[in-house]
Amino acid sequence: MIEKCRVGYFQFENKSDGLYVNVYPPKEETFSPAKIDDAMFYIDKKKISCDIVKLDEAIKTGASKEVCQKISEECPNPVGEFADYYINPDGMSVEAIFYPPFVGASFLDLEEIKKDITFKGVRSGTDEAAINDFLENKEYGKVYVLAKGKEPRQGTDGFIEYKFNTDLKPRPKINEDGTVDFHSLENLNHIEKGDVVAILHPEDRGDEGIDCFNRKVNPRPVKHVVFRYGRNLVISEDGLNLISKVSGHVMLEGDKIFVSDVLELVDVGPQTGDIDYDGNVLIKGNVQAGFKIKASGDISVSGLVEGAEVIAGGTITLNRGVQGKTKAVIKAGKNIVAKFLESCESVYAGGDIEADSILHSKVIAKGKITASGKNGLIIGGDVRATLCIEAKNIGNEMGTNTTVAVGVDPTMKRRLEELKKILNDLGKNKIQLNQLLEALRKKQQAEGSLAPEKQEMMTKTMRNVIMLEQEIAKNKKEFEELRQSIGEEQNAIIRVADAAYPGTKIVFGDVSMFVKKKYDFCSFVRDGAEVRLSAY
């Protein structure tokens, strides 16, 4: 049996004159020779007294040839084949190194080895294949793993995947010619309503293992994460997505996510670049010349607007006003409220405009314009409203050219007539296309199918009908808005609480008059084809 051993090994033998050691070299060069350390462990373990020097000499010589060396005058009790067992401190493996028996002594078998490791407390993971490997090959001195626990499956930490740039740093754009554009700075994470701003990847807790003693082995602890967020956010039904309830911008502060539809800035200038925001914008300081703010909602500026562009889908509030330098453009879908409007290239409101003073600016409001407050001035420029203009003073004693106009611009009336003709022509075209489409459908029903060229004609006609209907809807909307405006101009009026000065031009649609002398506390109305002075 021991002859199967492929590695080098030693074997003690009692003879009549004492104890001998037999050393056998490995069967092939790839296998290791017997080791003195194993021999020393053997004699120490079994309390065998011998000549250590001779034992060492025999082991060294036996690396290359068979050796039989007497090492003691005494004959100890013969020792059978045995194993030195080692249990890993974590209980997940049991190892064994086997040692050969004295010549003529007993060998271990499968059941004895299993009984040994059971005695050590092993209740799970015994590897009979490893035991049989030793029994068949007898590689003494080799480490055999005779039992293995089931390792726990380690889990993974939970984490949050952010769907926006969490390290946003404003950087100016470098143009192709090498110049720096401080207007285009990526300094906001814009989002739309319904956008997923973060995804939660839950922790994987892993699975328990079992050690060789049949004890449960827990996987290492993992990090549990949850969404931390402010208002305007909602968690999806499955708990994995964080969704914005508004359009605006998203930011991360620490590990907390914030979404707002109000953008708050101190100033707008080179440090921010131009602002294009889907929501409301609040500027606590100034808007510097040459920069632009565009918002789908309201815009409020606490400081001064210089020669800048401010465009809002809602209302614009300018607490200090505009020093336009003939370059400012202010446009609101609804109302404009300002301390003053001075030297503006263009001011437009889809609703009303209210300011303490309007100076040397081109101003248009679809509703009314009111210059009230302490000064209540309209001086210079061109100021137009559909319904009403009210001011304390229009013009000044210096005779500065000032135009104030109410009612509908004559060009709008011409546009209304154009739209009538356009809608009439589009209606006729739609009728013709529908007639052609109906004829093709009847032919298809009668014959079961259409020739390829007829089918192509039918598809093209249907596409043209859809495009025509979209064009009609667009023109109808413009037509109704113009007609409503023209209807409102019948009650248009200009009111002056203090004085209207010479140099002022009063306009009602296509009728106008020049103020040639000062008028106090008065109104101007249209009377047929002329402008008439009336009581305030």
Side-chain angles (χ1 to χ4, degrees):
M1 183 182 293
I2 199 167
E3 290 78 13
K4 293 182 180 180
C5 186
R6 297 174 294 183
V7 299
Y9 68 96
F10 57 86
Q11 191 173 25
F12 295 109
E13 182 180 5
N14 283 329
K15 293 186 179 183
S16 59
D17 59 343
L19 178 65
Y20 286 77
V21 64
N22 301 306
V23 185
Y24 302 92
K27 291 196 170 22
E28 297 177 17
E29 290 184 1
T30 54
F31 293 104
S32 60
K35 299 180 180 66
I36 186 60
D37 289 346
D38 291 337
M40 293 298 294
F41 174 82
Y42 193 115
I43 62 175
D44 182 62
K45 181 81 173 175
K46 299 304 180 181
K47 304 291 192 273
I48 297 172
S49 297
C50 66
D51 189 331
I52 302 300
V53 175
K54 290 182 178 180
L55 176 62
D56 183 49
E57 289 174 353
I59 293 293
K60 289 177 179 176
T61 304
S64 57
K65 64 179 181 179
E66 256 185 56
V67 173
C68 181
Q69 174 71 50
K70 184 179 179 180
I71 57 173
S72 177
E73 298 293 332
E74 300 178 3
C75 291
N77 292 326
V79 176
E81 188 178 54
F82 71 95
D84 179 48
Y85 297 100
Y86 172 76
I87 299 176
N88 196 290
D90 63 7
M92 293 303 292
S93 66
V94 176
E95 299 172 353
I97 297 176
F98 292 94
Y99 295 89
F102 271 53
V103 174
S106 63
F107 288 92
L108 293 168
D109 61 20
L110 175 64
E111 293 306 318
E112 286 180 303
I113 296 172
K114 288 173 65 176
K115 189 181 294 184
D116 283 346
I117 61 175
T118 300
F119 181 76
K120 296 288 185 183
V122 175
R123 299 290 182 271
S124 176
T126 299
D127 188 349
E128 287 193 11
I131 298 173
N132 286 324
D133 179 34
F134 163 70
L135 293 175
E136 291 176 6
N137 297 304
K138 296 289 185 181
E139 294 187 27
Y140 295 114
K142 173 183 173 180
V143 177
Y144 286 87
V145 180
L146 304 186
K148 289 181 181 178
K150 179 186 176 184
E151 293 285 348
R153 185 182 66 82
Q154 300 298 342
T156 55
D157 290 341
F159 68 96
I160 293 176
E161 176 188 356
Y162 299 103
K163 305 302 288 185
F164 57 92
N165 188 351
T166 59
D167 187 26
L168 201 61
K169 295 179 180 178
R171 294 182 179 88
K173 177 183 176 183
I174 306 299
N175 298 320
E176 291 182 2
D177 60 2
T179 58
V180 179
D181 182 2
F182 286 97
H183 292 266
S184 302
L185 303 182
E186 284 297 326
N187 53 1
L188 287 177
N189 288 307
H190 296 279
I191 55 168
E192 299 293 330
K193 180 179 179 181
D195 281 354
V196 174
V197 301
I199 299 173
L200 186 145
H201 296 267
E203 71 277 10
D204 176 1
R205 297 182 182 274
D207 298 315
E208 289 180 339
I210 299 175
D211 70 7
C212 294
F213 302 106
N214 207 34
R215 300 175 302 193
K216 291 181 179 179
V217 179
N218 293 320
R220 66 169 177 81
V222 295
K223 183 180 178 182
H224 174 68
V225 294
V226 295
F227 286 126
R228 297 189 68 245
Y229 59 96
R231 59 190 185 89
N232 298 324
L233 288 161
V234 63
I235 298 177
S236 61
E237 290 185 6
D238 61 9
L240 301 180
N241 295 318
L242 190 61
I243 302 168
S244 176
K245 296 194 291 185
V246 298
S247 294
H249 67 288
V250 59
M251 69 194 90
L252 184 68
E253 293 184 5
D255 63 347
K256 193 170 183 179
I257 302 169
F258 292 92
V259 164
S260 177
D261 57 354
V262 178
L263 175 61
E264 296 187 18
L265 299 170
V266 177
D267 295 304
V268 173
Q271 70 275 22
T272 63
D274 294 338
I275 304 300
D276 189 346
Y277 188 71
D278 189 5
N280 301 324
V281 175
L282 173 61
I283 309 299
K284 297 179 180 179
N286 304 321
V287 181
Q288 295 182 25
F291 287 88
K292 177 179 179 180
I293 304 175
K294 184 178 180 182
S296 62
D298 299 337
I299 296 176
S300 178
V301 182
S302 298
L304 184 68
V305 176
E306 299 175 357
E309 190 171 344
V310 180
I311 300 174
T315 294
I316 294 176
T317 304
L318 309 173
N319 292 332
R320 285 191 60 190
V322 182
Q323 183 63 59
K325 302 177 182 178
T326 70
K327 294 180 179 179
V329 174
I330 314 296
K331 183 177 180 180
K334 295 181 180 178
N335 302 327
I336 295 175
V337 180
K339 179 69 175 177
F340 64 88
L341 300 170
E342 182 177 344
S343 300
C344 297
E345 178 185 338
S346 174
V347 179
Y348 173 84
D352 301 333
I353 295 177
E354 182 177 346
D356 180 65
S357 57
I358 301 173
L359 308 174
H360 310 288
S361 300
K362 184 176 181 179
V363 180
I364 298 175
K366 289 192 72 175
K368 64 181 182 179
I369 295 175
T370 305
S372 58
K374 181 179 179 181
N375 296 310
L377 302 176
I378 297 177
I379 300 174
D382 191 324
V383 179
R384 297 176 180 269
T386 302
L387 303 178
C388 173
I389 295 178
E390 293 185 13
K392 284 185 177 180
N393 294 280
I394 300 178
N396 59 13
E397 293 180 348
M398 298 174 62
T400 301
N401 291 331
T402 305
T403 298
V404 288
V406 291
V408 177
D409 192 294
T411 57
M412 294 175 66
K413 293 184 178 179
R414 288 195 294 271
R415 176 59 180 165
L416 191 66
E417 293 301 318
E418 288 176 6
L419 288 171
K420 284 181 181 179
K421 185 177 184 307
I422 290 171
L423 287 169
N424 184 55
D425 292 342
L426 290 174
K428 290 178 180 178
N429 290 341
K430 183 180 177 181
I431 291 172
Q432 291 175 357
L433 289 174
N434 282 329
Q435 288 174 345
L436 176 58
L437 199 57
E438 184 63 23
L440 290 169
R441 284 174 177 162
K442 286 181 179 179
K443 184 175 181 64
Q444 185 180 41
Q445 290 173 357
E447 299 178 3
S449 63
L450 293 173
E453 64 273 11
K454 295 293 185 182
Q455 185 63 49
E456 184 180 352
M457 181 185 296
M458 185 174 180
T459 302
K460 185 176 180 180
T461 303
M462 291 175 67
R463 190 183 302 116
N464 288 339
V465 168
I466 293 172
M467 292 174 63
L468 202 61
E469 287 176 344
Q470 293 174 345
E471 186 71 16
I472 289 171
K474 184 181 75 171
N475 284 282
K476 271 188 176 179
K477 181 181 179 182
E478 185 182 355
F479 179 83
E480 291 301 325
E481 289 177 351
L482 284 175
R483 189 169 65 175
Q484 183 179 357
S485 296
I486 290 172
E488 291 172 343
E489 78 165 331
Q490 295 174 359
N491 299 316
I493 188 170
I494 297 173
R495 291 193 178 95
V496 182
D498 196 344
Y501 291 92
T504 300
K505 182 180 180 181
I506 307 294
V507 180
F508 283 79
D510 54 356
V511 177
S512 62
M513 72 165 284
F514 287 93
V515 176
K516 296 181 179 179
K517 65 176 185 177
K518 179 182 175 185
Y519 293 104
D520 296 320
F521 196 66
C522 61
S523 297
F524 296 93
V525 296
R526 179 170 180 168
D527 187 4
E530 62 181 25
V531 177
R532 179 170 57 83
L533 188 66
S534 175
Y536 183 81

